Amino acid sequence: MNRDSIISIVAMMVIVTGIAAIIFLTLNPPQTTALPPASGVQEIPSSAINIALPTQIVLPTIVLPTVAPAIPESAQSLTADSTPVPTEAQNAEAAVRNALATTIAERQAGGSTAAEPTVLMTPQPLPDVPMPAGATLYELRPTSPDLVGWARQDNDNGNEFGDFNIFAGTYQGQRHVGAVQFDLSAIPIGSPIVHADITFTGINDQWLGSDGNWTISVLEPWMDSNWITRSFHWLTRAESESAALTPALSAAELAVGKANTVLIPSQMIPLLQDRLFTGKVSFRVTGPTGDADNLFGWSSGARGPAPILRIVAGEAPSVPPPTPTPNYVIVTPVDVVALAAERMTAIAQAPQQVAQAGAATPTHTPLPPNWVTPIIVVPTAVPENQATAVWLIEVAAAQEIVYGTPTATPPNVWTATPTPTATATPLFIPQNEWTPTPTMTPTPGAIPDFLRGKIFFYSSRTGSSRLMFMNPDGSDVSLWQGDDWVYRTAKEREIQSPDGSRWVAVQREQVTIDQIFVLSSDGRQQLTHFNDVSYDPVWSPVEDRILFVSPQSGNDEIYSVWFNGDDLKQLTNNEWQWDKHPSWSPDGREIVFFSNRTGQSKLYIMSADGSNVRQVSFGEGEDLYPVWIK
């Protein structure tokens, strides 16, 4: 067969094959395969916010970790909880996330069934600021859920610290104020602060109005103590505020998933610098007032991004500066009646002096801004005769002439009550001897032995939140008179191992939600790996077992685990109630905690394995945050 014959046969076979294929496709048309439904894109699990997509768009589910903003190269890669500054790869991931969010928004804008996009924003990058040699970026978050939340106007005996939201504004005619406290102890005292800002991420706009302003304020240092007990009354007092950050946030700037970063201006940096001595700083958030609902909520960090305080500080001096001492000018008390007479005489003679000599009207020499004078507050005795009564009226009138109309005593004024003898004031008052205004006592160096085995807790049963203590069986409830040094000291010991070589802490480094870590001089080890937050860790005083709280099962429940993560046990299990703030007994056999099982927060004790649960506090008021003294 020659070459031409072969080519002819091949060409004929190609033609026949093509005709056969056309006939087959005509008799058997192809079937269309339906596309699968679209997958939602979400930030997991740092936010529970899903980005709704049109069903006709198919995008992969992308999970990216929360990435901190980039800082100038001259800053060290260190944060308060040792979070590394993002690498180029992490910044690239953040860019991908932002690009993806933009693409989703653009696609949704063109679809008739698309929902309004909600994109989780990362904190704004730091502005260009002078970076001192050895500068450090500290990225601070609340160290416990109990340090952040809100309070409501009609609840003057408590707050909602530990809630998912930081509410501020008005709802149903009741004002709400948000609050958060940060621990500054990671920043060495004396480190020069060159920049600071604070960031809140929106989580709830259900009752947000169309106008109004929200203001973030730094609170006075005296507000930092007893923080977990601060009610609406204390948080909103004018004298509680140290300075307000400007400008305020408008309603147009608030949205679910949006990060609101507010700069702490340079003139307020010295105020923040002074807080390094106390190791704490607290903020409040106030919103619009009025009859109409206008309330917004930011995430507290319980189930979303936590508030962030970012501070850029220079290298600490080799010798820490001394703690500043308040500078007061002592003003000697005067005879107020005589001073009033002189004042009225000067006013009466002033027109004659002006007419005769052209002299200026005599005025009272103003006192220096830092003056203080002893103020003695004693019970007013009933006048024994008419002359005494008249004299008291004259004194009151004279005081009004000299000092003006009386105003409420500011919180930093010291008061005293007369003591009949030179005996020392007792540290506590039994329940049957409570008085409205206990007297402050000096802070001793160690916890007295007679308090060991007692249970300290905060209670509103006197009408305001006060520190009390009682026996483990609930008997002998007493009101603590001094500051909270016993409570704070005992609480600090709660997180330490029996030999003092390790301790537990709540951290978020390289994880997206708060988890429990075991820390030591050799490093740290993650203890919990829940899908929800874990908090309130305490170490047994007799063995290496740790208690903590988590809403992993649906409610805030108490768990027990060995320090290495073995033998995890859920000790409490409720239908809707929660159990919080566990504390070991001195022998490690029992646990005290507070719960809302009766509708009110009360104290309960159970065995170390979760059995034999019994209520030990009763009566009116809320009983909260117990600590068993060891």
Side-chain angles (χ1 to χ4, degrees), residues 493-499 502-505 516-518 527-528 530 536-549 558-572 582-591 606-610 630:
R493 295 175 182 173
E494 293 263 79
I495 64 173
Q496 297 180 358
S497 62
D499 61 4
R502 291 161 295 178
W503 59 98
V504 285
I516 308 297
F517 287 80
V518 175
L527 183 63
T528 60
F530 283 176
D536 279 351
V538 290
W539 206 305
S540 169
V542 297
E543 60 183 357
D544 287 328
R545 197 158 188 90
I546 296 167
L547 300 173
F548 66 94
V549 179
I558 298 174
Y559 293 79
S560 173
V561 65
W562 286 110
F563 79 103
N564 59 2
D566 291 344
D567 194 28
L568 176 66
K569 295 180 180 179
Q570 181 175 339
L571 302 183
T572 62
S583 180
W584 293 96
S585 63
D587 60 6
R589 296 181 179 181
E590 293 185 306
I591 301 164
M606 63 181 174
S607 300
D609 61 0
K630 304 170 184 61

Side-chain angles (χ1 to χ4, degrees), residues 19-215:
I19 294 174
I22 293 173
I23 294 174
F24 176 80
L25 292 175
T26 302
L27 297 177
N28 301 278
Q31 301 296 318
T32 301
T33 302
L35 294 175
S39 300
V41 178
Q42 58 183 342
E43 183 78 12
I44 300 176
S46 62
S47 172
I49 303 169
N50 293 332
I51 303 177
L53 298 178
T55 56
Q56 68 268 25
I57 297 178
V58 179
L59 292 176
T61 299
I62 298 179
V63 180
L64 296 178
T66 301
V67 180
I71 64 172
E73 294 181 356
S74 57
Q76 289 183 350
S77 301
L78 177 68
T79 61
D81 56 0
S82 301
T83 303
V85 173
T87 62
E88 292 183 2
Q90 290 174 320
N91 284 328
E93 288 180 341
V96 170
R97 172 167 42 195
N98 293 335
L100 177 63
T102 302
T103 301
I104 293 171
E106 291 174 350
R107 293 184 179 181
Q108 289 182 327
S112 58
T113 60
E116 183 71 18
T118 301
V119 180
L120 183 64
M121 297 177 62
T122 56
Q124 300 173 7
L126 283 170
D128 294 332
V129 293
M131 300 295 293
T136 302
L137 167 65
Y138 296 91
E139 188 173 288
L140 308 176
R141 297 176 177 85
T143 55
S144 168
D146 293 334
L147 300 179
V148 55
W150 53 277
R152 181 180 167 103
Q153 183 178 0
D154 60 357
N155 181 11
D156 196 37
N157 293 327
N159 56 51
E160 299 297 334
F161 288 5
D163 190 48
F164 301 148
N165 299 276
I166 305 173
F167 279 128
T170 302
Y171 177 65
Q172 293 183 344
Q174 295 294 323
R175 293 171 56 199
H176 294 63
V177 58
V180 58
Q181 184 177 91
F182 295 95
D183 187 345
L184 303 178
S185 59
I187 306 176
I189 295 175
S191 301
I193 298 176
V194 297
H195 172 86
D197 59 39
I198 186 170
T199 299
F200 294 90
T201 302
I203 196 174
N204 193 326
D205 62 356
Q206 184 175 357
W207 303 284
L208 179 62
S210 59
D211 56 7
N213 293 304
W214 282 256
T215 301

Side-chain angles (χ1 to χ4, degrees), residues 226 417 419 423-430 433-444 450-451 456-457 466-469 478-486:
N226 297 326
T417 55
T419 53
T423 56
T425 303
L427 289 173
F428 66 95
I429 303 176
E433 299 178 10
W434 286 353
T435 56
T437 309
T439 304
M440 184 73 70
T441 55
T443 301
F450 78 90
L451 291 178
F456 270 65
F457 61 100
R466 301 294 301 276
L467 188 60
M468 301 183 182
F469 68 92
S478 298
L479 181 66
W480 181 253
Q481 290 200 90
D483 62 19
D484 62 349
W485 64 271
V486 170

Side-chain angles (χ1 to χ4, degrees), residues 2 55 57 76 166 174 214 249-250 285 293 297 336 378 401 406 427 431 439 444 454 459 503 518 588 611:
N2 58 29
T55 56
I57 297 178
Q76 289 183 350
I166 305 173
Q174 295 294 323
W214 282 256
L249 298 170
S250 66
V285 187
D293 290 349
V336 67
V378 297
I401 292 171
L427 289 173
Q431 184 172 5
T439 304
K454 306 289 186 181
S459 178
W503 59 98
V518 175
S611 63

Side-chain angles (χ1 to χ4, degrees), residues 140 182-188 272 275-276 278-281 309 311:
L140 308 176
F182 295 95
D183 187 345
L184 303 178
S185 59
I187 306 176
L272 198 59
R275 298 303 177 84
L276 297 184
T278 61
K280 297 177 182 178
V281 62
L309 176 63
I311 294 177

